[in-house]
């Protein structure tokens, strides 16, 4: 356990950070997602009403959601060029850590061809983080892959894992000298299910069998990546970021609700983590959802409060989740993502405040929690929903020169960090 601060439960060296992903902020990319966006933007705009008009804020988002442009990541928020300015903002917000992804499609745009300038970009990027005393948390895969890899069948084929591990080998030779924390995969549970079961993400398959294959291949991918990274640098701390939900029975003590709850907790939260438990130094936990289940797997959440995307919000649900995660794995935990779509900034401060209380409570119960990364530093491209959902501590005005505007909740968060660390 880290040394404790005398007045607070937070360890002295707690990481306060924000999280991003290359595809959602960088701009100027060519990968399987950018390709898919251009092919589907029109259709997504046309079906927006059908998918989203139930939202209380539909009138506010309508124009954007029905505009094909909304579904194209395009220039992103130009983080690729403005990253120093963004790091300065992170610093002003009293953060001391930053999670980001390196984009495989930039580094290996064609099979076996390494782009020296892209590698240099990320080397400088890491140096600039270090220069500002922002601890780099390097994330290798956040759902995007080069088009050539997708065309070979991506992670559906176990023989393709070798392409990814060759990339990891390159990363281990070029990019980890100044890095202590690496996350190999972001939310394999979400990407395997959205890409292969529910069909929301490319390649939009809806097959249980393909889902299982991909999910299992991602287990193997992580194990091999872990080995490569640790061989190169044994002191490196390596893990994944898993989307974990606080899953509860809607009617406690009802047999079916409890059964569904146990089942969902096992398959959604623990199955993958158990498969890799010998190949992880910490657990990265992404928390957005508390879900209540009834009967044979029906989700029945309270109707309020909800965020801009209609997601039920229960920030304090992270407390029982932290306890369960700790009890199962007894590994250091980082909250690698946590946040909400809240363009008007009405709920964000409340959400963060509740989360801080919940984290403190968990730490006081012995959970070895070492960091919190808010999702996200900047408003960014929210995958199949595009630009209208706004998750940033910092608003980005894409129509007005990509201007960065710090939200009031972020200022409050910065002051709070300052007080906690004081
Ligand atoms: C993902 C992010 C995404 C966020 C909000 C997480 O599941 O890792 O990429 O933007 O949730 O939906």
């Amino acid at each position: 356990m880290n040394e404790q601060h005398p007045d607070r439960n937070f360890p002295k060296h707690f990481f306060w950070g924000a999280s991003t992903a290359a595809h959602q902020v960088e701009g100027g990319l060519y990968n399987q997602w950018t390709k898919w966006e251009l092919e589907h933007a029109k259709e997504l705009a046309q079906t927006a009403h059908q998918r989203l008009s139930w939202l209380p804020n539909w009138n506010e988002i309508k124009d954007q959601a029905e505009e094909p442009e909304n579904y194209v990541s395009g220039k992103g928020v130009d983080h690729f060029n403005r990253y120093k300015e963004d790091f300065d903002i992170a610093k002003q917000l009293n953060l001391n850590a930053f999670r980001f992804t390196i984009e495989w499609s930039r580094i290996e745009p064609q099979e076996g061809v390494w782009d020296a300038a892209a590698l240099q970009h990320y080397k400088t990027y890491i140096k600039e983080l270090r220069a500002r005393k922002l601890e780099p948390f390097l994330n290798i895969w956040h759902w995007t892959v080069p088009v050539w890899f997708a065309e070979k069948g991506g992670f559906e084929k176990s023989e393709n894992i070798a392409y990814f591990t060759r990339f990891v080998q390159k990363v281990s030779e070029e990019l980890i000298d100044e890095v202590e924390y690496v996350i190999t995969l972001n939310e394999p549970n979400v990407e395997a299910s959205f890409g292969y079961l529910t069909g929301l993400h490319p390649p939009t398959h809806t097959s249980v069998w393909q889902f299982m294959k991909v999910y299992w291949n991602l287990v193997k991918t992580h194990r091999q990546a872990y080995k490569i990274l640790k061989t190169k640098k044994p002191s490196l701390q390596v893990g994944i970021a898993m989307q974990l939900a606080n899953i509860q029975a809607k009617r406690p003590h009802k047999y079916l609700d409890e059964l569904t709850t146990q089942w969902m907790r096992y398959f959604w939260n623990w199955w993958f983590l158990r498969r890799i438990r010998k190949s992880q130094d910490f657990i990265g936990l992404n928390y957005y959802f508390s879900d209540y289940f009834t009967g044979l797997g029906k989700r029945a959440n309270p109707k309020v409060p909800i965020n801009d995307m209609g997601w039920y919000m229960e920030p304090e649900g992270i407390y029982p989740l932290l306890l369960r995660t700790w009890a199962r794995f007894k590994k250091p935990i980082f909250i690698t993502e946590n946040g909400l779509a809240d363009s008007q900034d009405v709920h964000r401060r409340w959400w963060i405040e509740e989360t801080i209380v919940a984290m403190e409570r968990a730490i006081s119960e012995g959970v070895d929690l070492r960091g919190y990364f808010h999702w996200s530093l900047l408003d960014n491209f929210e995958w199949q929903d595009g630009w209208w959902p706004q998750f940033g501590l910092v608003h980005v005005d894409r129509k007005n020169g990509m201007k960065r505007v710090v939200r009031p909740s972020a200022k409050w968060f910065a002051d709070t960090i300052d007080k906690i660390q004081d």
Side-chain angles (χ1 to χ4, degrees):
M1 254 305 233
N2 280 346
E3 208 183 322
Q4 299 281 313
H5 189 279
D7 315 317
R8 311 282 302 213
N9 276 311
F10 285 101
K12 237 186 188 159
H13 305 293
F14 198 77
F15 287 123
W16 294 98
S19 226
T20 56
H23 186 76
Q24 297 177 267
V25 290
E26 280 191 354
L29 291 167
Y30 179 67
N31 57 36
Q32 100 281 25
W33 260 92
T34 52
K35 211 169 154 248
W36 183 83
E37 286 156 26
L38 294 174
E39 289 159 8
H40 291 82
K42 227 170 138 195
E43 173 196 332
L44 288 166
Q46 277 163 0
T47 53
H49 184 269
Q50 196 182 313
R51 280 178 289 114
L52 303 168
S53 57
W54 66 275
L55 289 171
N57 56 342
W58 169 245
N59 281 333
E60 283 103 78
I61 64 165
K62 186 172 175 294
D63 288 350
Q64 239 184 316
E66 291 186 328
E67 173 64 56
E69 192 100 332
N70 175 67
Y71 301 94
V72 179
S73 57
K75 292 189 175 135
V77 290
D78 199 25
H79 178 68
F80 190 76
N81 296 309
R82 296 178 194 221
Y83 65 93
K84 290 183 202 159
E85 176 190 343
D86 293 337
F87 296 167
D88 286 341
I89 298 174
K91 201 62 206 163
Q92 273 167 33
L93 295 180
N94 292 328
L95 303 182
N96 59 10
F98 193 76
R99 176 179 167 221
F100 63 98
T101 324
I102 47 169
E103 175 66 29
W104 184 9
S105 66
R106 275 192 200 283
I107 296 176
E108 193 181 0
Q110 290 163 47
E111 185 186 335
V113 179
W114 305 106
D115 186 318
L119 283 165
Q120 189 52 50
H121 168 84
Y122 289 116
K123 278 182 200 165
T124 315
Y125 189 99
I126 293 164
K127 275 213 175 73
E128 294 289 337
L129 283 170
R130 281 257 171 258
R132 290 167 181 78
K133 297 200 166 35
L134 290 163
E135 182 72 34
F137 275 61
L138 185 153
N139 193 108
I140 300 181
W141 176 77
H142 198 126
W143 304 350
T144 50
V145 296
V147 171
W148 61 262
F149 179 77
E151 282 171 353
K152 284 180 191 293
F155 288 110
E156 271 166 73
K157 299 206 176 114
S158 63
E159 62 269 28
N160 287 350
I161 296 172
Y163 294 106
F164 185 79
T165 51
R166 185 177 60 178
F167 167 55
V168 174
Q169 183 66 42
K170 192 75 181 171
V171 172
S172 77
E173 285 157 14
E174 302 271 354
L175 294 174
I176 60 172
D177 272 4
E178 296 201 48
V179 169
E180 303 300 329
Y181 298 92
V182 170
I183 292 164
T184 56
L185 307 176
N186 179 69
E187 298 186 352
N189 51 349
V190 172
E191 199 48 7
S193 46
F194 281 25
Y196 298 88
L197 194 60
T198 62
L200 286 170
H201 287 182
T204 59
H205 294 316
T206 50
S207 140
V208 178
W209 172 237
Q210 271 174 331
F211 159 72
M212 280 168 23
K213 265 202 311 198
V214 170
Y215 208 26
W216 180 243
N217 284 339
L218 289 171
V219 168
K220 293 203 278 192
T221 302
H222 168 79
R223 287 179 184 160
Q224 293 179 27
Y226 181 86
K227 216 183 260 166
I228 293 168
L229 292 160
K230 296 292 278 193
T231 307
K232 186 76 187 164
K233 184 169 176 179
S235 67
L236 200 68
Q237 297 299 290
V238 181
I240 65 163
M242 192 70 174
Q243 196 190 93
L244 300 183
N246 171 34
I247 297 168
Q248 304 282 5
K250 176 82 176 172
R251 299 165 301 179
H253 311 300
K254 281 270 185 203
Y255 179 72
L256 264 189
D257 295 19
E258 295 286 359
L259 192 72
T260 299
T261 298
Q262 292 307 329
W263 196 87
M264 288 298 293
R265 279 184 190 166
Y266 182 75
F267 284 103
W268 186 254
N269 287 349
W270 314 132
W271 184 85
F272 196 100
L273 288 175
R274 279 183 63 84
R275 305 275 102 48
I276 61 161
R277 65 192 181 286
K278 295 197 185 116
S279 316
Q280 58 179 350
D281 304 318
F282 62 84
I283 291 179
L285 184 165
N286 295 355
Y287 173 76
Y288 297 91
F289 298 104
S290 273
D291 283 326
Y292 290 82
F293 282 94
T294 176
L296 283 173
K298 190 172 173 304
R299 193 159 54 182
N301 287 341
K303 292 190 182 53
V304 288
I306 56 171
N307 73 17
D308 290 354
M309 296 177 81
W311 299 357
Y312 166 62
M313 294 188 286
E314 195 174 298
E316 67 275 24
I318 202 167
Y319 169 70
L321 185 61
L322 283 167
L323 290 194
R324 277 186 226 121
T325 310
W326 171 246
R328 275 196 171 250
F329 298 100
K330 290 281 188 304
K331 292 258 163 89
I333 300 175
F334 293 95
I335 297 168
T336 35
E337 279 181 38
N338 174 263
L340 62 162
D342 181 20
S343 65
Q344 299 307 307
D345 207 33
V346 279
H347 300 297
R348 196 170 278 104
R349 173 181 162 166
W350 159 76
W351 172 285
I352 298 174
E353 203 163 6
E354 290 288 339
T355 305
I356 291 175
V357 174
M359 291 195 288
E360 242 190 324
R361 211 183 265 159
I363 293 168
S364 80
E365 291 290 299
V367 176
D368 188 1
L369 178 63
R370 300 195 181 179
Y372 170 82
F373 292 75
H374 192 78
W375 183 271
S376 179
L377 180 69
L378 305 163
D379 286 344
N380 59 46
F381 182 72
E382 180 56 22
W383 307 107
Q384 75 279 16
D385 286 300
W387 289 106
W388 65 262
Q390 299 185 4
F391 278 83
L393 289 168
V394 177
H395 172 57
V396 180
D397 190 347
R398 294 184 77 243
K399 293 233 161 76
N400 186 10
M402 304 268 183
K403 199 166 171 250
R404 274 65 172 149
V405 183
V406 175
R407 289 199 158 98
S409 60
K411 291 187 184 147
W412 172 86
F413 184 35
D415 288 346
T416 306
I417 297 173
D418 195 38
K419 278 183 209 138
I420 292 174
Q421 283 185 322
D422 192 15

